[in-house]
Amino acid sequence: MTRLKEDDINEIAATLASYDSELIRKTGCSLLELASHAVGRDLNEVQGMTPRVAVIPMTCGQGIIEGFVQAVASILNHLGFKAWITESSDAGGVAEAVQKGAEILFMADDDRFVAINLRTGVVSDNGAATGRGYVAGLERMCDGLEGKDVLLLGAGPVGLGAALALAQFRAKISVFDLDRAASERLAKKLEKNGYAVMIETNLDFALKQHHLLVDACPAENIIASHYLTERTILAAPGIPLGIESVGIEQIAPRLLHDPLQIGVATMLLQVL
Ligand code: PYL
C-alpha cells in the first residue's frame, strides 16, 4: 500500500465542494450518494443518522502524516456527519473517543486504515471499501456494468474489494497483476463466491482488449497513453495514478481518481 504524503491530502478540505460538483458531472452522484450506492444503503435512511464520529491520530510506525486526520474529518463533516479529532493519539485517543461517547472510530496505522462501529462491531477497511466505492463510480459512469468486460489492474486489497463489487454488478471481470499468483488468489476467492474471473498474463493484450478499466495498483505509468481511447473509462483508486501525464487531459471527464474521498465515504457508509 502506498503511504500518502502531505502533498496528496493538504488540498482536500478546501476543495470538497468543487470535488463533489466534479463527481456529480462524471457519475451523476454526489460523494454521499456514490457511497450509499456502493454499499447498497438507502440515502434517506442514512441521512437521518447522527452518530458521534471520532478520528484518532496514530503515531506508531512511520508516524503521523501531517493533515491526514484533518482530511478524514473534513470528508466526514462534508458528508453531513459530525466528526471530531481526538486531542490524544493512539490508545489515549481511543480512550478519549469512547469516554466522549463516540459510536464510530476512524484510525490508521501503517498497515490498516479502519472504521469501527463500537455499537454494532462492524469494521470497514479502507482498501476493500475504496475498491468498492470506485467500482460504484465506474458503474454510474458506464450506466450499468452487467455483461460488460472490465479489466482490473492489481489483485491486492483494493483490487479484491473492486472485484467483489464488479461481480455484484455482474460485470465480466479480467484481472492482471504483475504477480500472477496474486491474480490466482483473487480468482479463487471470487470463485468461492460463485463468480468467474479471467486471469490476464499479457498486459499489452489486455489493455488493447478493454476500455473499462479499474487501476487498483500502485504502479506509475502502467497504462501508456496510447491505450486510451474516447471509449476508455477509468476508475483509478491506485496511488499514484497509473496513467502517463500526457493521457490525463484526454481522459479527464471519464477518470475517477482521488487520494481519500471515495474510500473514506464508503467506509463510513459501511459501518453506519
Ligand atoms: C489510508 C491511505 C490510503 C493510501 N495509503 C494509506 C496510507 O497512507 N496509510 C498510512 C496512514 C498513516 C496515518 C498516520 C496518522 O496520521 O494517523 N498514522
Side-chain angles (χ1 to χ4, degrees), residues 1-4 56-58 63-65 68-69 108-110 113 126 239 259-260:
M1 167 178 59
T2 311
R3 180 176 167 88
L4 289 172
I56 303 159
M58 305 297 283
I64 295 288
I65 298 178
F68 178 79
V69 290
D109 60 22
D110 293 348
F113 174 23
N126 175 259
I239 296 173
L260 272 177

Side-chain angles (χ1 to χ4, degrees), residues 35 39 41 45-46 49 51-54 76 81 103-106 113-126 129 132 263-272:
V39 305
R41 293 192 70 169
E45 176 215 344
V46 300
M49 302 172 96
R52 285 177 57 74
V53 184
L76 297 170
F81 296 86
E103 260 185 272
I104 294 173
L105 309 182
F106 277 76
F113 174 23
V114 293
I116 300 166
N117 185 316
L118 295 174
R119 188 171 45 78
T120 64
V122 174
V123 176
S124 171
D125 201 285
N126 175 259
R132 173 168 291 279
V264 168
T266 307
M267 289 167 79
L268 177 69
L269 272 286
Q270 282 187 326
V271 299
L272 267 183

Side-chain angles (χ1 to χ4, degrees), residues 97-157:
V98 171
Q99 285 165 336
K100 288 182 179 172
E103 260 185 272
I104 294 173
L105 309 182
F106 277 76
M107 65 190 93
D109 60 22
D110 293 348
D111 303 313
R112 293 190 63 188
F113 174 23
V114 293
I116 300 166
N117 185 316
L118 295 174
R119 188 171 45 78
T120 64
V122 174
V123 176
S124 171
D125 201 285
N126 175 259
T130 299
R132 173 168 291 279
Y134 269 80
V135 165
L138 180 70
E139 193 269 349
R140 291 293 79 213
M141 290 196 287
C142 300
D143 197 17
L145 283 172
E146 180 149 7
K148 295 181 183 174
D149 290 310
V150 179
L151 175 60
L152 170 62
L153 303 177

Side-chain angles (χ1 to χ4, degrees), residues 25-78:
R25 275 197 303 279
K26 291 178 179 178
T27 68
C29 293
S30 68
L31 186 56
L32 182 60
E33 288 164 340
L34 185 60
S36 307
H37 181 53
V39 305
R41 293 192 70 169
D42 184 290
L43 205 49
N44 298 320
E45 176 215 344
V46 300
Q47 279 177 316
M49 302 172 96
T50 56
R52 285 177 57 74
V53 184
V55 185
I56 303 159
M58 305 297 283
T59 65
C60 44
Q62 297 182 62
I64 295 288
I65 298 178
E66 205 50 51
F68 178 79
V69 290
Q70 290 80 3
V72 173
S74 71
I75 295 165
L76 297 170
N77 286 304
H78 171 78

